[in-house]
Amino acid sequence: MSGPKAQPGPGGLVLVDKAAGMTSHDVVARVRRLAGTRKVGHAGTLDPMATGVLVVGVERTTRLLGYLAGGDKSYTATIRLGESTDTDDAAGSILAAVDANVGEAAIREAVGKLTGDILQVPTTISAIKVDGERAYKRARAGEDVELAARPVTVHQFEVGELRPGGVVLDVDVEVRCSTGTYVRALARDLGAALGVGGHLTALRRISVGPFDLAACRSLEQLAEELVVLPLAAVARAAFPCRELDDLAARIIGNGGWIPAEEGHGDGPVAAFGPDGELVALLGDKNGRSWPVVGFTGAG
């Protein structure tokens, strides 16, 4: 006989320091059990080999995940020059190996050309859909997957320690980039630019938008104490904020519009009622602010 059914835990954000060897789906499944609810999702996948910040939403906070996933992300990584793989990381099979006889100056020059606004061809082992099916599924089925280049922004691509290892050269880097950027593809493209090939051997995500490793806990720690950042605190950390009086809060809560307020920049604005609770995310159009995601209803 099964035990008593777990009761739903508090809604909010759970910041996980993901361990290597787990999929993001594995983490979501664990948080579902810990929180006692199936209404759990994540803001941006981490590959099984990667570690670090995985932003997990519980209950109503899942409505914010699409917006949280759009923030910049920061990583520390190790790129191995001298070997290219079919997945652009250490999980794949080696396609070619050459002597990585390249100097630091050449590496820094090539990194500079991969910094800023660039066009990047995503790795074929990605979750991008091709004719309705994930690219990685097509690639693993033996198809020749060709993905179109797309614009991304690499705000920071810093070279750290260089560690020779026989014919290969491991390069530690720090990367801060826009959403949709593949660090594996940066490793591949750096190796290609230097003529020696390259792939990613280690990746640790250290921030997603305003959330960093300092606020994260391992799944083992979360099993001892499930730390959940409340919905209102999440919104205040992640978005420009607007305080509403009682009348405006009721109008927005009922799906209506209010005059727009200048000075918030692009993107959604978190609107709070007089009680400090999140009423909605607002979008502006033609001088009016409308709720694009509401939080006053049930569910």
Side-chain angles (χ1 to χ4, degrees):
M1 179 180 295
S2 61
K5 183 178 180 180
Q7 296 300 308
L13 210 65
V14 179
L15 300 176
V16 182
D17 184 353
K18 188 186 89 66
M22 302 186 73
T23 66
S24 298
H25 181 75
D26 292 337
V27 174
V28 166
R30 287 284 298 276
V31 174
R32 280 175 177 157
R33 291 195 293 272
L34 294 174
T37 177
R38 291 200 57 78
K39 200 169 184 180
V40 178
H42 65 76
T45 300
L46 272 179
D47 293 331
M49 70 166 274
T51 67
V53 180
L54 188 66
V55 174
V56 179
V58 178
E59 295 292 339
R60 289 187 181 188
T61 311
T62 56
R63 300 178 187 177
L64 292 180
L65 293 178
Y67 297 94
L68 295 176
D72 290 344
K73 300 172 177 65
S74 298
Y75 302 86
T76 58
T78 299
I79 296 172
R80 175 159 293 174
L81 298 176
E83 293 177 346
S84 56
T85 74
D86 58 358
T87 60
D88 302 326
D89 63 17
S93 301
I94 295 176
L95 298 175
V98 301
D99 188 350
N101 185 21
V102 292
E104 182 174 349
I107 293 171
R108 292 187 180 278
E109 181 181 1
V111 162
K113 294 178 180 179
L114 291 170
T115 305
D117 296 328
I118 63 172
L119 287 175
Q120 183 184 74
V121 177
T123 179
T124 55
I125 306 298
S126 71
I128 294 172
K129 286 188 176 181
V130 179
D131 295 331
E133 190 173 11
R134 303 292 184 184
Y136 67 82
K137 289 185 177 180
R138 290 180 173 273
R140 287 168 181 164
E143 292 187 37
D144 185 14
V145 179
E146 293 187 10
L147 298 175
R150 57 184 185 173
V152 298
T153 302
V154 180
H155 302 287
Q156 176 189 15
F157 193 178
E158 297 290 339
V159 176
E161 184 180 0
L162 277 60
R163 292 177 281 110
V167 296
V168 301
L169 176 63
D170 286 346
V171 182
D172 293 334
V173 299
E174 292 187 10
V175 175
R176 183 171 63 87
C177 54
S178 64
T179 188
T181 306
Y182 286 87
V183 183
R184 281 179 292 165
L186 288 177
R188 175 201 66 204
D189 293 344
L190 178 61
L194 293 167
V196 296
H199 70 278
L200 204 64
T201 62
L203 182 66
R204 183 160 177 77
R205 189 154 69 193
I206 57 178
S207 71
V208 175
F211 308 109
D212 60 21
L213 277 173
C216 293
R217 288 169 171 78
S218 68
L219 285 173
E220 291 74 22
Q221 291 171 320
L222 290 168
E224 295 291 329
E225 179 186 5
L226 183 61
V227 178
V228 181
L229 188 63
L231 174 61
V234 172
R236 287 191 181 277
F239 306 101
C241 299
R242 181 174 177 179
E243 307 299 330
L244 306 180
D245 59 24
D246 186 63
L247 176 59
R250 289 201 306 270
I251 292 171
I252 290 298
N254 289 323
W257 62 269
I258 57 177
E261 187 176 80
E262 295 183 358
H264 293 301
D266 297 330
V269 173
F272 298 88
D275 59 359
E277 292 302 310
L278 180 66
V279 177
L281 289 187
L282 303 178
D284 291 349
K285 186 176 182 180
N286 299 327
R288 298 177 176 182
S289 290
W290 303 82
V292 292
V293 184
F295 293 92
T296 57

